[in-house]
Amino acid sequence: MAARSQLPGMRWFLWLRIASLRTGVLTGIYLSCVLVAWLEVANRVPELWPFAELRNLIAGAMLVSILTIPALRFRNRPGKLFVAGLTAWALLTITYVFAGIHFTLLESRMGALHVFMLGAVSYGFVAVLDWVFLICAGVRREHLAQTQTGTASAGSRRSH
């Protein structure tokens, strides 16, 4: 049996038995680390200020790539996808609130409730799209199975 690939640091969270929560917590920690690093570099490294657009693009790409972890892990289970994504985004929102205490102008950009709702609606949208895709794939599979069964039974009637 092939070994399952796991996210780095996953073994520390094996005590959390629910896979969607475990993935969400670990993804939330990854997102929080990227956010804190992004804020520190943006505010504490004046040498990179001329490259602010590139810095923001790289940090945003890192966040988006980490945000896809729950969607890829639970692509055939929309409910678990939503739980994992919401857990990750809740941890990111908590980090945003604490970062807002340290970086006072952060809250003027977007409030914590807005940040949370952005993630909740986004993951909800992805989960619904996944659910609709699964329904369409199931209907297509059923249709193909019925078509093949109908063709096979029609062919056997003709030979008699």
Side-chain angles (χ1 to χ4, degrees):
M1 184 168 111
R4 259 179 72 158
S5 61
Q6 290 186 346
L7 296 171
M10 184 67 85
R11 69 166 198 228
W12 292 100
F13 295 99
L14 290 178
W15 58 270
L16 194 56
R17 296 285 180 212
I18 302 169
S20 56
L21 287 178
R22 188 171 52 238
T23 301
V25 166
L26 197 54
T27 303
I29 291 171
Y30 292 159
L31 290 170
S32 297
C33 289
V34 170
L35 177 67
V36 169
W38 185 5
L39 289 171
E40 285 295 323
V41 168
N43 292 294
R44 305 278 189 245
V45 184
E47 296 84 22
L48 294 178
W49 289 349
F51 307 105
E53 287 183 23
L54 180 62
R55 177 200 63 218
N56 292 341
L57 183 67
I58 290 171
M62 288 176 66
L63 284 175
V64 168
S65 64
I66 293 171
L67 287 170
T68 61
I69 291 172
L72 295 175
R73 175 115 184 344
F74 299 111
R75 65 183 172 273
N76 292 329
R77 294 176 296 238
K80 290 186 179 212
L81 184 157
F82 183 69
V83 168
L86 202 60
T87 303
W89 202 267
L91 288 174
L92 179 67
T93 304
I94 291 168
T95 303
Y96 186 85
V97 168
F98 284 115
I101 294 170
H102 186 66
F103 300 102
T104 55
L105 293 177
L106 189 61
E107 284 285 327
S108 68
R109 182 95 172 144
M110 188 183 301
L113 180 63
H114 293 109
V115 170
F116 180 74
M117 290 308 296
L118 176 71
V121 169
S122 298
Y123 272 114
F125 186 70
V126 170
V128 167
L129 282 178
D130 186 36
W131 175 63
V132 169
F133 175 76
L134 290 173
I135 288 174
C136 291
V139 167
R140 178 166 168 74
R141 199 174 319 121
E142 281 290 320
H143 176 70
L144 290 175
Q146 287 178 355
T147 303
Q148 290 173 353
T149 305
T151 306
S153 64
S156 65
R157 279 187 251 152
R158 289 184 188 154
S159 62
H160 288 269

